[in-house]
Amino acid sequence: MQCPPCIRDHKKIAKYLDTLEDHNTELIGISIDTVADKWLNYLNNNHYYWQNYRELGEDNDLVDAMNVWEFPTYILIDVHGVVKTKF
């Protein structure tokens, strides 16, 4: 994990997981980290046990499909799959 803004935000997010759950909101992390062991160790060492996925290879299909061009990016999607906001 080499993204200082991501690391900062993860610390903040971890403090509010109960609040998200209370509001029936699910957090899913998607990473483009290239070294699987380093990424998994980061998540485990910091107890970041929300759903986390990693895009593999050079084709970042999901990142491209969601038009993500900087990290971290946050996307709020409603229960119908509609993107409500992205920041």
Side-chain angles (χ1 to χ4, degrees):
M1 187 58 136
Q2 300 286 329
C3 173
C6 298
I7 293 168
R8 178 200 64 223
D9 287 359
H10 290 163
K11 290 177 184 178
K12 290 178 183 177
I13 290 167
K15 293 178 184 179
Y16 295 98
L17 287 177
D18 290 339
T19 302
L20 292 173
E21 187 175 313
D22 291 346
H23 288 90
N24 200 26
T25 302
E26 184 175 0
L27 176 64
I28 299 171
I30 301 170
S31 174
I32 60 168
D33 287 304
T34 57
V35 181
D37 291 341
K38 188 174 181 180
W39 173 70
L40 286 172
N41 287 335
Y42 167 79
L43 295 173
N44 290 326
N45 290 340
N46 290 287
H47 310 285
Y48 297 151
Y49 299 129
W50 55 78
Q51 288 188 57
N52 284 283
Y53 300 93
R54 187 170 65 98
E55 290 243 58
L56 302 174
E58 295 177 15
D59 296 328
N60 293 322
D61 295 334
L62 184 58
V63 170
D64 291 342
M66 299 303 290
N67 196 28
V68 174
W69 50 273
E70 68 179 336
F71 294 91
T73 294
Y74 300 95
I75 304 169
L76 181 62
I77 303 171
D78 72 13
V79 296
H80 305 290
V82 175
V83 173
K84 301 308 271 182
T85 189
K86 182 170 79 168
F87 53 96

